[in-house]
Structures are given as C-alpha cells and as structure tokens.
Amino acid sequence: MQQHRQLAQVSLAFLIASAVTLGMLILTIVLVGQSFRGMEQAKVTAATATARQLAISVDDRIQAITQPPSTALAVLRHDPLTEADTLEQRLDRLPAVADILASSEIVSAVYAGYENGDFSLFRKLQNSSTRQFPDAPANSHYLLQSLVRTGNDQQGRWHFYDRNLNLLEQRGLTSYNFDPRERPWYQAARESGTLELSAPYVYFTTQETGITLSQRASEKAGTVLGIDVTVTDLGAQLAELKQTPGSRIAILNASGQLLASSSQGSEPSEVVLQALQPESHSGISQFTRDGRSWYGISEPLESLPGEELSIVVAIPSNELLADVWAALTRQTLIAGAIALLLLLAGWVLGRQVGKPIELLTGQVSRLSRFRFDTPMRSTSHIREASELSIALDDMAHTIRSFQSISTVLNRGQDLNQLLNDILEQLVSIVGQERGAVYLFSSREQKLELSVNRGLELPQAVHPVAPDASDYDVIQELRRYITGHPVFSVLRNRRRKLIGVLVIEIEHGNQTDLSEDLITFVDEIAGSAAVAIETRELIESQQALLDGIIRLVANAIDAKSPYTGGHCERVPKLAQMLVEQAEQSSEGAFASFGMTEDERYEFHLAAWLHDCGKITSPEYVVDKAVKLETIYNRIHEIRTRFEVLHRDAEITCLKAILAGEDPEQAKQDKAAAQTRLQEDFRFLAAVNQGSESMEDADIERIHAIAGQTWTRHFSDRLGLSEEEQQALKGHPEPPLPATETLLADKPGHLRAWGEHVPPVRKDDPENRWGFDMSLPEYAYNQGELHNLTVRYGTLTEEERFKINEHIVQTICMLDALPLPDRLARVPRLAGTHHERTDGNGYPCRLTGDDMGVPEKIMAVADVFEALTASDRPYKRGKTLSESLTIMAGMVENGHLDGEVFRLFVSSDVWRNYAEQHLHADQVDTVDESLFMKP
C-alpha cells in the first residue's frame, strides 16, 4: 500500500501571525532604513540650512557693523574738517569727530588724509589700544595723531585728551615718515570718489580684526576721510552659533586666510581648510582627518562682494548623526517588541488584524508621498488599529500645522496678524483650544496682551524687570492667570525677554502637566519668538529709515524760508494722487497699479525728491535782488554815486574859486546831482527784478555804467585766496585809477576748475543720462551781467546752480546701497522737473519716457509750489489761478494732460486745499474749464 507523504501543517492563525510578523519585520526594516537615511539626509540638510542661515547672520552682522560708520562718513565728508588747512582748524573739529567715536563701540579711529600729505587721526584709547600706549597719561581717553608738512619739512605730534576733550599732554615725534597719499585706502577713495570698503584684516597698532571705510570729501577732491571699524566680536558670535560642541566655524578670505574662528589654535584652521576641498562646492562634503569623519559646508558671504569671503563649517559625523543612531536603535527595539507580541497574539487576531493593517499601510504610504492633507482615520473594531489611525491623522494634522507656521513666517507682514496665525497653529498642534501671547515693553517694563484666543486675562502685567529669569516671569503671571496654563517665555537670539506664550490645557491630565508637554511647548514656541523678533527688527529698521528721510526733508525745508514745508507737502499730495490713479479705470490708468514695495518706493522718492537742495548755496536759493551775493551789492554802487555826488559839489566849488559865474556853477551842480539821484533810483528799481526788462532799460543801464569815477585805493588788498586766483593774470592799474560806475570785471568770474558737474550729454563721467547746458562759468557776479537779467533776479549761472539740485538728488540717491525693491527711487525722485515735450531737465525725457508715478510727481510739485503761502518772495495763488496756470502748462507740453485731468476730476486739489491752504486762497473753481482733452 502506497503511503502518501503528509506535508507539515500549521494553523491559519499562526500562519497569519507569522506572515504579518514577517511582513511587519520587513516593513519595519525598510522603514527604519529609509527613516535612517531620511533622518541622516534631514540632519545634513538642516546643517546646510544652518550654515546658510549662519552666513546670513554674519552678513547681517557685517552690515550692522558697516552701516552706521558709512552714514557717519557720508555726513563727515561735508564737515569743515575736509577743508581745514592748519592743525588749529582741525583741532576745532575734534568735538564732531569725538561724537562719531562715542556713538559706536566698534569705531576705533577716524582720520583724514590731505592732498599735501598732511594727516590727522583721532582714536579711542580702549582696552586693546591702551596696551599699545602704556605711557599714555592717566585718564587718557582719546589720542590725536597729527602730521603737518611745510615744504620739505614735516612735523608729527601726539595729543592726549580725556573723555571731555581736555588736553592732557602733547608730544612731538622726531621721525614720522607716514604719507597717507601712498596708502591703499587713500588711493582707492581718491580714484573712485565713492565709499570704499576694505577686506577684514588685523590692525597693526591694536592687533584687532577690522575693516576700513574711506571716501573722498565732497568739496575738496584731495581730502580723503577714513574710519576703522573693529569686527573682533565675530569670533565670539561664531562660537555661540555652533551646531554641535565639536563643530568648527571660520571665516576665510579668497586666499584661505583665517579671519575669524569659533575657537583658537591651528586645528580649526586646518579642519576648515580641508572642508574647502573641490568636492565641497556641491554644498556639503565628507572627509576624514586624523581618523575622524567630518561633514564640511562652505557658504559665500555677500556683505563684502568684492572680497570673496566665505564661511566654512566642519561638523563631526558622530555628533551630527548622534540623534539619528539613537532613533535607529530605539526604532529597532520597538520593532522587535512588536514582532514578539504579534507572534503571541497573531493566531487570535490574525484575521481581524489583516484588513485594518492593510488599510493603514495604504495610509502610511500616502504620508510617505507627503499627502498630509488626506484624512487618516479608519473604522475598525480593533482598538489598536483605530487608535493608530487616529494617531496618524493627528500626526498629519501636526505636520500640516508646522507647514502652516512656516508659510505664515515666510509671508506674514503685520505683526499682530502674524502672532494670531502662529498662536492658532501652536494651540492646534498641542491639541488645545485657547491661548494668548504677551509682548514685553522694555520701556514701560510690562507685559502687554497682544493676541488672545478665548482666555480671560489682564491686559497688562507689571512690573516685569528686563533681566528677570524665566521662573520670575512665570511666577508673576501665575498671580493673575488661573486654570491650567502652560507658559513659555519667549526670548530673542540675545536672550532678551520679548514676550510670553500662554496655552490653557483643557484636554488631558490637567492636574499633573507632563514635563514633556512643557518642553514641547517651549520648543515650538521658538517660532513665535522668531516671528516677533524678525517683524520687530523689520519694523524698527523701516521706522528708522522713515525717520531719517523725514529728518533730511525737514532739514532741507528748514535751510531756507523760501521752501518751508515743501518737502513734507509734496509727498502727501503725490500719495493722494497715486491712490486716485490706482482706483481709476480710464485711459492710461486702466492697467495702472502698484505693489506694496512699489508704494513704499514711491513714498521714499516723494520725500527725497529735493534732497539735492542740501547742496544748493543759500544765497542763490534766497536771492531776492539782482546784485545780491552773500549781501546786496547795491550798497557798493550807492557809495560810488555818493562819490560822484560829492565830485559835483567839489567841481562847483572849484569853478566859483576860479572866478566863474557862481549861479551857473550851482545850476550845473544841481543838474548833475539830480541826474545821479534819478539814475540811482532807476538802478535800485531794476535791482528788485520784479518786472521784465525792456531793451530801452538795458541801454540806459549801459549808459549809466559808462560814467567814470576815480579810485585812489588798491582793490587787491584784503582779498581771499579765491579772489586772488580770479584776478591772476590781470595786473593792477596804477593809482589813481579811473573806473566806470558799473562794470563786469575779471574778479567777478568764478571758473569751474576741477568741479565741473557731469551734466553734459557727451561727458564720459555722465552715467545717469543727464542732458543739460553747462554755463561757461560756475558764477558770474558782474554788475552789468546781473543787473541786465531780463526776468527775475537769477543769472544763467545761478539758474543752473538751482536746477543742479535735481542732479545732486539723483547722484546722492544713486550712491545709496538701496535694495532691489527700492532701485527706482533715484529715478522717481529725479524726474519731477522733466517735461512731456522733452524740454525739461536733467535728462530731457519725453512723456513716453516717463511712467504714471513720474508724471504724478511733476504735477504734485508744481501745484504745491503755486499754492505755497510760506514763501516771502511771493503770495500763494488761489485754486483757480493755480489750476489755470497748470492748464496752460499742459498746453505748452510741460505737464501730462491725463494726470492733470485726473487731478482735477478726483478732487485731490480740493482735499489738499482743506488741509494746507488759507481760506482766502480757496475760491470757486469751474472744473469743466480744465477737463478738455
């Protein structure tokens, strides 16, 4: 009988359990492996992101170091120090220089090199510098190092001052061979004419690491100013930013020279240099040194683009991946325990577990494909399977919340809305419903409620000391807040108190809050701290920029009573008109719109549209009569008339003494003196410039000018250097000299010299596209030249000097390191004197070359100028007069017609009048007269 071989059999439950267990083991191994690789990659990616953020932080630090000295240097280049020719004159400017040193801890020295080789350096004697000057007098706070050259001789001297600039001691130097003209900072700034910034280097005197900022003075091309700025705190900052204890961070230049490091010694330098191998250019590299594995990351620094600086980070592999290996071990142990449990219980629950596990596997697969928005919950009679689905759903919800927080941080603009969105996400992640955020006011030393979601809380908690510990802050809050709250004290990168996050625990164990929950809340609350600090920094920087802009505008208005309030009113009027243009759907405005950045760009340009007036001479801007320079020269001419008047008296007396007819002599005298009175009265009236000049008037001026008088005193005594230069090549006539009553003399002319403005179209230095006619002379103070001006009081040269303010506006704004979003500020600020017919200045743009914002600026500037009532040389025109004049300017190709008609139809002029015009200027206006195309 054939015996059939019986196959070994196992129970279905055991088979299912074994299959499930084996499958779970395989899945666990794969997931753990993928998780390990994912966590490893995440760690590496996080390290790379941290390096990039570190580079940004260092860039921000370098920008914060260089920006205030750059501003101080821009102000100092207009200081009389730049034109001081003697040591005494330079000593007079020490208080201004001392203010710059005192205003910043990082500025170590301010100095000036002059064209003749003179040199003046003023430095602070701080701790590091004191070691270099051990023999300095007690209480020394400042040291002035001066070098004065006289011919082939040179004299060096040191002056020691206390904190109040009281001279303590001065020493002569027997040998001082320093020549600033040979120094790179002098030569670079002299050649470029712009702000020059050196690479970081070690100062010879103080052994501090720093950079040098230098720039040529604005008035005197041979004078170059410099500021030394220390950056020795970069190394300490790098040490604070290390990702792991064994990390190495360094800043290197293009040649690999170490400029700053997170630690001392040669090892960090060698490690980070090895991290700069060619393969590291892909972002991150691995290398081995002395049997130890490292990750190397290199990121460029952008704050000094010409110096090719980079920040290099080297992280030990074992430290970077420590958490990954720990997680891998923990996951492996958990997987083994689950496998054993499945083996024991699988034969009972195999059939019931199979289907839910299959369903949950599909859900996990969707999570692995980043489908966090898919619902994870599934219905199952097995509690574990149901709870697992809930956990997966909660996990997906938490991940979505973190994604939302990231989105809010990246896109949020308003601080309150930003905090409200972040609080909503944080409360959701913890699984609660109510919470609040307090912001700390250091000025008032109190916590103010900023965002609240359903809690009954006090509006403010005070007093709270700025240096209070986390424990003290929380204890103070517990005095006012009941329930079961979890507190997280928010601090910025400098560990300064900025606020407190409060979350009310309503779900779960309220009587025994776990340390894990409190720790987790502290960790996720960091996003709120980042948001607060970031937005406050942005808002404070923008507020500072706005304040500086208003300061400049107010300074320009305060400089001359003729333009008082102009720089403040034009931006308001222009902004009102821009808003109407955005709302309009007609003509050129149908597609016109502006982003927030563009509105802010226009706002800055409007406030700075006349910033170049800061360079305009006041005596030109305020010129009220034709013969006015620094003073009204009609008084000189009156004196000459007095001389001729007395000459007539003398001639009469001489005739009588000579036996001539006394009556005839007296009649001749009276006629001559009467004619002199009439001629002077005529010249005085002409000098007012209130009416246009006719040809007959000009002929009479020349006739009057032809009269002669005798000068007995030299006109070459007591002259300034500039006046002597103007008369060079013109010998003095012998005395007594006969001169005409009015004249245009060589001494009245001032040549451009080396200061020719680059406004001609063919000028190679004209990179802005200026197209203006340049007068032959910078100034022509000739008496006939000024008195024969046909319209107003300004000569061609003075008119150019006033118009040049728009050139200076563009050049000044173009020199600012404006970000890309504000790149059009110079153009928007510098085109309000252009005309649609191409006859404006400074670039002769046409209407097609200008956009809507530029045309709006022109209309706003003209209307404000016409209606301004705070200018003593004219009255403010009424609304109807102003609009009539502007309508004529539209017809003459001066202003854009569409913008003008929008200005009239939108009632912007009326709203502006209610705020800024006097009641007698607001008259009845027939708008239909100005709406014709």
Side-chain angles (χ1 to χ4, degrees):
M1 181 178 179
Q2 187 178 5
Q3 295 182 348
H4 296 280
R5 187 176 179 181
Q6 188 175 6
L7 296 176
Q9 296 180 346
V10 295
S11 67
L12 179 61
F14 180 78
L15 181 62
I16 293 175
S18 299
V20 170
T21 302
L22 181 60
M24 286 300 299
L25 283 175
I26 295 174
L27 178 62
T28 300
I29 292 172
V30 172
L31 290 178
V32 169
Q34 291 295 323
S35 176
F36 173 77
R37 292 183 61 84
M39 286 188 290
E40 180 185 22
Q41 185 62 37
K43 277 287 187 179
V44 172
T45 301
T48 304
T50 301
R52 293 195 184 99
Q53 187 62 39
L54 179 59
I56 294 174
S57 299
V58 174
D59 276 329
D60 291 343
R61 176 58 178 161
I62 294 177
Q63 288 289 346
I65 288 174
T66 59
Q67 187 62 39
S70 299
T71 304
L73 195 59
V75 175
L76 191 61
R77 63 192 292 259
H78 299 282
D79 193 87
L81 176 65
T82 62
E83 298 183 345
D85 295 324
T86 65
L87 177 59
E88 289 73 19
Q89 293 175 343
R90 296 164 192 164
L91 291 176
D92 290 341
R93 302 309 302 159
L94 285 186
V97 180
D99 287 344
I100 296 176
L101 292 174
S103 65
S104 175
E105 292 293 332
I106 61 175
V107 174
S108 63
V110 179
Y111 45 88
Y114 296 86
E115 190 171 22
N116 65 348
D118 285 6
F119 181 67
S120 179
L121 182 145
F122 198 52
R123 71 166 67 249
K124 288 186 290 193
L125 295 180
Q126 298 175 333
N127 292 336
S128 59
S129 298
T130 304
R131 293 196 297 269
Q132 306 301 325
F133 305 96
D135 57 345
N139 300 324
S140 295
H141 190 74
Y142 296 105
L143 169 61
L144 173 65
Q145 300 172 222
S146 64
L147 177 63
V148 179
R149 299 179 187 271
T150 306
N152 295 326
D153 297 328
Q154 58 186 27
Q155 181 180 11
R157 188 171 296 276
W158 284 2
H159 298 74
F160 293 90
Y161 295 88
D162 63 12
R163 187 179 298 274
N164 297 320
L165 293 181
N166 296 314
L167 179 64
L168 302 178
E169 181 183 337
Q170 56 176 316
R171 302 174 186 171
L173 301 181
T174 57
S175 61
Y176 197 177
N177 297 324
F178 179 82
D179 191 338
R181 297 169 295 185
E182 300 175 356
R183 303 302 298 164
W185 58 266
Y186 181 96
Q187 296 172 353
R190 173 70 183 272
E191 290 298 324
S192 68
T194 59
L195 179 67
E196 293 292 326
L197 190 64
S198 73
Y201 65 98
V202 178
Y203 296 145
F204 176 80
T205 303
T206 63
Q207 296 302 305
E208 296 175 313
T209 300
I211 57 180
T212 294
L213 294 86
S214 59
Q215 189 168 11
R216 189 176 67 197
S218 61
E219 297 296 335
K220 203 165 185 178
T223 302
V224 175
L225 300 167
I227 292 181
D228 285 342
V229 180
T230 59
V231 293
T232 52
D233 61 335
L234 282 180
Q237 184 184 21
L238 295 179
E240 295 175 359
L241 298 175
K242 292 199 298 184
Q243 191 171 355
T244 67
S247 296
R248 303 289 186 263
I249 307 175
I251 297 176
L252 306 176
N253 60 17
S255 61
Q257 181 182 5
L258 182 66
L259 300 178
S261 173
S262 60
S263 59
Q264 303 297 324
S266 62
E267 180 190 356
S269 176
E270 296 175 358
V271 170
V272 297
L273 284 176
Q274 190 162 352
L276 279 173
Q277 296 302 316
E279 63 268 25
S280 67
H281 294 299
S282 60
I284 188 166
S285 64
Q286 285 186 275
F287 63 94
T288 303
R289 177 171 179 82
D290 298 332
R292 192 176 186 186
S293 178
W294 296 77
Y295 282 94
I297 309 168
S298 176
E299 291 289 336
L301 294 177
E302 300 176 355
S303 57
L304 300 175
E307 306 303 334
E308 298 182 6
L309 303 183
S310 60
I311 185 166
V312 182
V313 182
I315 308 175
S317 300
N318 60 331
E319 293 182 3
L320 182 63
L321 302 179
D323 294 339
V324 176
W325 285 109
L328 178 63
T329 302
R330 185 168 57 253
Q331 290 175 356
T332 303
L333 293 175
I334 293 174
I338 293 175
L340 290 176
L341 290 175
L342 287 174
L343 280 172
L344 295 175
W347 66 278
V348 177
L349 303 175
R351 300 185 65 139
Q352 290 83 352
V353 170
K355 188 173 181 180
I357 290 297
E358 181 180 357
L359 179 60
L360 291 176
T361 301
Q363 294 174 338
V364 171
S365 176
R366 287 193 291 272
L367 286 179
S368 67
R369 294 193 299 271
F370 309 104
R371 296 292 302 276
F372 304 120
D373 55 344
T374 303
M376 293 288 108
R377 296 198 180 188
S378 63
T379 302
S380 175
H381 295 291
I382 300 176
R383 183 180 60 191
E384 288 78 3
S386 178
E387 291 178 349
L388 181 58
S389 70
I390 294 173
L392 288 174
D393 191 66
D394 291 342
M395 181 180 68
H397 175 71
T398 300
I399 294 174
R400 288 198 302 273
S401 297
F402 278 118
Q403 288 178 323
S404 299
I405 289 177
S406 177
T407 301
V408 168
L409 288 175
N410 289 333
R411 300 178 182 176
Q413 296 294 328
D414 180 73
L415 179 59
N416 286 334
Q417 185 60 42
L418 188 67
L419 289 177
N420 189 70
D421 294 341
I422 290 177
L423 177 63
E424 180 181 356
Q425 299 299 330
L426 294 181
V427 170
S428 176
I429 290 173
V430 180
Q432 304 301 321
E433 297 177 356
R434 298 188 294 166
V437 174
Y438 279 93
L439 294 183
F440 178 66
S441 173
S442 58
R443 177 177 299 178
E444 300 180 7
Q445 295 192 0
K446 67 178 180 179
L447 291 167
E448 296 179 307
L449 186 61
S450 178
V451 179
N452 185 16
R453 289 179 56 85
L455 291 178
E456 295 183 3
L457 300 174
Q459 190 64 33
V461 175
H462 60 84
V464 177
D467 57 350
S469 65
D470 291 0
Y471 176 81
D472 294 336
V473 173
I474 293 174
Q475 291 300 107
E476 184 67 23
L477 286 170
R478 289 193 182 279
R479 295 173 52 194
Y480 302 95
I481 302 176
T482 59
H484 304 85
V486 172
F487 300 98
S488 178
V489 180
L490 308 177
R491 297 186 181 273
N492 61 20
R493 294 179 180 88
R494 297 187 299 257
R495 302 302 301 163
K496 298 294 185 181
L497 177 64
I498 59 175
V500 178
L501 170 67
V502 182
I503 297 180
E504 176 67 23
I505 305 301
E506 300 173 287
H507 308 296
N509 189 354
Q510 298 178 344
T511 60
D512 185 18
L513 301 178
S514 69
E515 291 296 329
D516 291 340
L517 175 61
I518 296 175
T519 302
F520 179 70
V521 171
D522 280 338
E523 291 175 350
I524 64 175
S527 58
V530 170
I532 295 172
E533 183 181 22
T534 301
R535 292 312 308 167
E536 286 184 343
L537 284 174
I538 293 174
E539 290 176 0
S540 63
Q541 288 175 351
Q542 185 156 324
L544 177 61
L545 179 60
D546 287 340
I548 293 174
I549 290 168
R550 291 176 182 270
L551 179 66
V552 171
N554 291 336
I556 295 169
D557 283 343
K559 180 181 178 184
S560 170
Y562 286 61
T563 57
H566 175 77
C567 291
E568 181 178 355
R569 291 191 292 265
V570 168
K572 295 179 180 179
L573 182 58
Q575 189 62 46
M576 294 166 64
L577 190 51
V578 161
E579 293 174 359
Q580 293 298 323
E582 287 190 280
Q583 297 173 11
S584 176
S585 59
E586 299 179 359
F589 314 109
S591 59
F592 175 72
M594 301 178 76
T595 64
E596 286 299 322
D597 285 344
E598 289 172 336
R599 291 189 187 94
Y600 187 63
E601 184 180 52
F602 182 81
H603 167 77
L604 294 186
W607 273 95
L608 294 172
H609 77 285
D610 270 349
C611 67
K613 284 185 177 178
I614 201 169
T615 66
S616 299
E618 290 183 47
Y619 72 89
V620 175
V621 176
D622 297 349
K623 187 177 182 184
V625 293
K626 293 181 179 181
L627 288 172
E628 182 176 355
T629 52
I630 301 299
Y631 69 100
N632 188 356
R633 293 179 294 160
I634 192 69
H635 305 299
E636 290 185 15
I637 296 174
R638 181 187 293 108
T639 301
R640 297 173 200 164
F641 272 91
E642 292 284 358
V643 171
L644 293 178
H645 191 279
R646 284 161 179 73
D647 285 349
E649 188 78 32
I650 294 171
T651 301
C652 174
L653 294 176
K654 285 182 177 180
I656 295 174
L657 291 174
E660 297 181 13
D661 183 7
E663 291 301 325
Q664 183 62 41
K666 291 179 181 180
Q667 290 178 6
D668 293 341
K669 177 196 72 171
Q673 291 179 340
T674 300
R675 177 178 52 79
L676 289 172
Q677 291 286 350
E678 293 175 352
D679 287 347
F680 179 76
R681 189 175 296 106
F682 170 72
L683 291 181
V686 168
N687 188 41
Q688 296 293 327
S690 57
E691 296 182 1
S692 61
M693 295 280 291
E694 301 293 340
D695 291 339
D697 296 331
I698 295 177
E699 291 177 2
R700 183 177 178 185
I701 291 175
H702 282 282
I704 294 173
Q707 301 179 62
T708 60
W709 65 289
T710 303
R711 175 171 57 83
H712 294 81
F713 296 89
S714 173
D715 61 354
R716 306 300 171 95
L717 300 178
L719 302 184
S720 67
E721 180 67 24
E722 183 182 18
E723 291 172 315
Q724 293 174 5
Q725 287 296 325
L727 291 171
K728 191 174 183 181
H730 299 279
E732 181 182 9
L735 297 176
T738 300
E739 294 187 350
T740 58
L741 189 59
L742 302 174
D744 290 340
K745 298 181 179 181
H748 290 144
L749 301 176
R750 297 293 182 269
W752 288 107
E754 298 180 357
H755 304 289
V756 180
V759 299
R760 290 172 292 192
K761 194 171 185 179
D762 57 352
D763 192 327
E765 296 185 6
N766 180 7
R767 57 187 177 85
W768 299 275
F770 300 140
D771 186 5
M772 298 175 66
S773 298
L774 187 69
E776 182 179 0
Y777 295 97
Y779 293 101
N780 186 340
Q781 298 173 353
E783 295 165 344
L784 286 172
H785 182 73
N786 279 261
L787 281 172
T788 55
V789 170
R790 287 186 177 272
Y791 303 100
T793 63
L794 298 177
T795 64
E796 176 190 3
E797 294 79 11
E798 291 165 339
R799 177 66 62 185
F800 174 81
K801 182 58 65 174
I802 289 182
N803 291 348
E804 191 190 11
H805 84 274
I806 202 66
V807 173
Q808 296 299 326
T809 294
I810 295 174
C811 293
M812 290 168 61
L813 296 179
D814 187 59
L816 293 177
L818 296 171
D820 290 342
R821 65 189 182 92
L822 302 178
R824 295 179 69 248
V825 166
R827 175 181 173 86
L828 291 173
T831 53
H832 59 280
H833 286 296
E834 300 288 356
R835 295 167 53 111
T836 57
D837 60 4
N839 292 323
Y841 65 91
C843 300
R844 297 185 183 274
L845 301 179
T846 66
D848 295 335
D849 298 325
M850 294 185 289
V852 171
E854 290 97 323
K855 296 173 181 177
I856 286 176
M857 283 288 293
V859 169
D861 188 72
V862 169
F863 184 76
E864 193 284 333
L866 290 172
T867 58
S869 58
D870 53 3
R871 303 184 185 182
Y873 63 88
K874 75 173 189 69
R875 66 175 182 83
K877 298 186 181 300
T878 65
L879 289 174
S880 59
E881 291 174 334
S882 300
L883 294 176
T884 299
I885 293 173
M886 293 176 71
M889 297 173 75
V890 171
E891 293 180 2
N892 295 331
H894 191 143
L895 298 177
D896 181 76
E898 287 188 277
V899 173
F900 174 68
R901 287 188 289 274
L902 175 67
F903 178 68
V904 175
S905 62
S906 63
D907 279 347
V908 168
W909 54 275
R910 194 187 308 276
N911 297 332
Y912 175 83
E914 293 175 355
Q915 301 176 33
H916 299 286
L917 268 59
H918 295 308
D920 57 353
Q921 293 181 260
V922 182
D923 58 354
T924 303
V925 174
D926 185 357
E927 299 179 21
S928 62
L929 297 176
F930 310 110
M931 296 303 297
K932 299 176 182 179

